[in-house]
Every structure is written in structure tokens, then in C-alpha cells.
Amino acid sequence: MRATVIHAPHDIRVEEVPDPAIRLPTDAVVRVLKACICGSDLWAYRGESARQPGQRIGHEFLGVVEETGAGVDGFTVGDLVVAPFVWSDGTCAYCADGLTTSCPEGGFWGSVGSDGGQGEAVRVPHADGTLVKLPAAAASDDRLLTALLALSDVLGTGHHAALGAGVTKGSTVAVVGDGAVGLCGVLAAKRLGAERVIALGRHTARTDIARRFGATDVVAERGEAAVAAVRELTRGEGAHSVIEAVGTEQSMRTALDIVRDGGAIGYVGVPHGSASGVDLGVMFDRNIALRGGVAPVRTYIPELLPDVLDGTIDPSPVFDLSIGLDEVPAGYRAMDGRTALKVLITP
């Protein structure tokens, strides 16, 4: 089959690789219908996250079950399924607690020895604990299928950030970051009942989506100017909840500076930078909570799926460029150059 591999920074290729096959009774093989490029893939693309030459890449996909191992009980050939970006066994103590990303038997798509999502098919370990079945009719609805793909990562990650930030009905929320995760954080905050959502971003095409998702205000400034703007919008107090969806020192400092005393920051931006930007003394004095991390999206899919199916929420606008598998290298260049927000791949 064909799949995307990374050989070196800025060297993404689509190559022939071995077809996936059942190795263990709990495996399934899924033929990919939709995949995408994530902002976190760019850290490897830029050389800021180490990868072995020829390693697979991509961690978001949905598709059709092509084969199942003898130990798979919940799925049959032909089922339409979505995969969270981490596989998990669904039986350990962490999975029982909803922290599927800490499953001892779990792993990330594209890690050494595993298939990546940006290919024609994927071997899925622990299929019963990992995959979530989708309505078969969704396969013929391209917009819905695209929206459902967001369940594999960005929608659940935005939801995780909103929960970490303690978003409640009637609260004021600020979102730092105008990428797909930040925009899904806007969507999640609105879904949880936030009355005011302040989106921080400078790119009009992205902030237009933020407004479509429920943002009531947009702050285009950065640094101290952004802090001043948010403070002005909130009577000088700051936001009850802040979603940090970038992962840099500057973005975390901004989040800390715009959160209200007694408020919380939900962070899901993969940390990159020389320091965290967090001053524990400031957090202590102002009673600020910090919660977040890698999102256990497998836990959130059953809750979010009905709202996507009935149109209550529609994350599909975050995909602003659609390509075929052979065009994936160009898709990476587009996202790296910020001419695309999130690239949809149809193998």
C-alpha cells in the first residue's frame, strides 16, 4: 500500500510500504477513507521532534474495517469506524478512569513499528478498546464524514482544554491560539455554555471561523497588547477560563496574564520552548489552576459523537484544504507556510 513517511526535516514522501496485517487476535485492519495533517505533525516536519528516517506519520483517520483478529468482538468487516490518536486496550485501570492516553498497552499512530494515519490502511491494535463505530450512512455524506474525522483528535482535544479550564455555563473564556485545536476549543467552550468567548488570533480567515464557532470577541494583538485588550474586555479582571492551544512559552505567559484570579488554564498545546512560562509564585498568589495535557479523546468520543451527528456542532470548517494522498508533501508545505489551516486527505 501507499503511506506517508518522514525521512528528515522537510522531507515527507508517499511511498510503497508493506500492507498491514493482523499480528495479534485483538488487531483489526482499517481501510482509510479520511485522514488529515495535524499541527503537531509540523514539529516533526520542522525537525523539532525527532523521527527515524522512514518512520510513518499521521495520527488522525477514520475508515472501514477490512479484517479483524479472532479476539475482536465489537466490530465486523464493513463497519465504519473512527480511531482516536492513541490506541488503548479499554480494560486497564487508566482506561477505566478515562485516561486512555496512559494505557500501558497503548501507543501513538506513527510511532516506530506502527502504521501512521496518513496512508491507505492501518493495523489497529486493541481494536475493541480503541475504535468507535459510526453510522454506516455517514460514509456517503462527505461533509459529515469530514466533521466526524475531527473526533479523532482536534475536537476532543479542544473539549479537553475546555474541561481543564473549568468552562461553565455563563462563564467568560479566552482562547490562545487560532489553529484547529484552538478553534475547536472555541466550539467546545460554546457547547459547554460559555456566555463570552474571546478568541486571540491575527488571521482573519481563522478568526472568521472562530466567530462562526461562537466567539463573541476577537483580539488580534499579541504579547502585552493582547493582555491589555483582554483585560479591557473583562473590566480589568481577565477571563474565568483560558484555553492554551499553542504550546510556546509566550502563549503560556499570555494565558497566565489574561486569566482571572481564581480562574483556570486548560493547556493542550504540545509544549515547545526553553521554559514553560509558568510562574508558580504568581499562580499561588492569584489562586490560578493549571490543568490539561494530552487529551484522552477516546473517552470523549461517545459524548461528542451525537452532537456531531445531529449537527449541534460542526467542526468541519477547520479543514480548509482537501488533497489526495500523493499531494501530502504539498499539504505539509501549505500548513508549514500557514496558507492552510488543516489539510484533509482522501486516500
Side-chain angles (χ1 to χ4, degrees):
M1 71 168 187
R2 294 180 303 151
T4 306
V5 298
I6 181 167
H7 286 270
H10 302 282
D11 186 359
I12 293 283
R13 308 177 197 175
V14 178
E15 298 179 342
E16 293 288 332
V17 301
D19 290 337
I22 301 296
R23 298 181 190 171
L24 298 171
T26 52
D27 289 350
V29 173
V30 173
R31 174 171 54 87
V32 177
L33 295 181
K34 298 285 184 185
C36 54
I37 302 173
C38 182
S40 62
D41 291 331
L42 296 180
W43 296 119
Y45 181 73
R46 294 165 179 162
E48 298 183 50
S49 294
R51 294 293 188 275
Q52 294 183 8
Q55 189 173 334
R56 307 287 180 82
I57 195 167
H59 54 263
E60 300 160 283
F61 66 94
L62 56 73
V64 176
V65 175
E66 293 278 272
E67 186 180 0
T68 61
V72 176
D73 298 320
F75 301 94
T76 59
V77 173
D79 284 343
L80 182 66
V81 294
V82 63
F85 65 85
V86 173
W87 71 78
S88 53
D89 64 17
T91 63
C92 72
Y94 288 111
C95 288
D97 289 341
L99 194 62
T100 52
T101 50
S102 290
C103 176
E105 299 297 320
F108 289 79
W109 310 113
S111 57
V112 175
S114 74
D115 293 322
Q118 296 164 14
E120 293 182 314
V122 176
R123 181 184 74 89
V124 178
H126 299 290
D128 282 334
T130 301
L131 299 172
V132 177
K133 191 179 298 185
L134 303 173
S140 60
D141 185 334
D142 195 63
R143 185 212 57 79
L144 177 58
L145 205 62
T146 300
L148 291 168
L149 176 62
L151 291 167
S152 65
D153 185 348
V154 288
L155 182 58
T157 298
H159 179 68
H160 186 58
L163 292 180
V167 176
T168 57
K169 187 174 181 179
S171 60
T172 295
V173 182
V175 180
V176 181
D178 61 1
V181 170
L183 294 174
C184 284
V186 171
L187 196 63
K190 198 67 178 178
R191 177 181 174 274
L192 291 172
E195 180 178 335
R196 192 171 198 181
V197 181
I198 304 168
L200 280 69
R202 296 183 297 165
H203 304 85
T204 302
R206 300 183 179 199
T207 55
D208 285 348
I209 297 174
R211 290 190 184 278
R212 182 174 174 179
F213 282 179
T216 54
D217 304 273
V218 169
V219 169
E221 295 85 354
R222 298 184 71 180
E224 293 182 3
V227 173
V230 173
R231 291 281 175 180
E232 183 177 355
L233 288 170
T234 57
R235 303 181 304 278
E237 295 179 353
H240 300 101
S241 303
V242 176
I243 290 173
E244 192 285 306
V246 182
T248 64
E249 182 173 349
Q250 178 181 333
S251 63
M252 184 59 81
R253 289 190 184 280
T254 297
L256 187 60
D257 288 342
I258 64 176
V259 69
R260 186 178 187 269
D261 286 16
I265 299 169
Y267 72 105
V268 291
V270 180
H272 284 80
S274 59
S276 65
V278 173
D279 186 328
L280 292 179
V282 170
M283 294 180 66
F284 182 87
D285 290 343
R286 296 176 54 207
N287 283 280
I288 295 170
L290 180 65
R291 295 186 293 267
V294 58
V297 300
R298 175 60 181 83
T299 299
Y300 301 139
I301 291 175
E303 175 185 349
L304 298 171
L305 176 57
D307 283 359
V308 176
L309 290 174
D310 68 14
T312 299
I313 53 176
D314 178 14
S316 64
V318 301
F319 299 97
D320 61 343
L321 177 62
S322 182
I323 62 173
L325 187 58
D326 289 336
E327 301 169 286
V328 166
Y332 273 84
R333 290 193 295 271
M335 284 186 61
D336 186 45
R338 299 184 72 85
T339 59
L341 169 59
K342 190 167 182 64
V343 175
L344 178 71
I345 303 165
T346 304

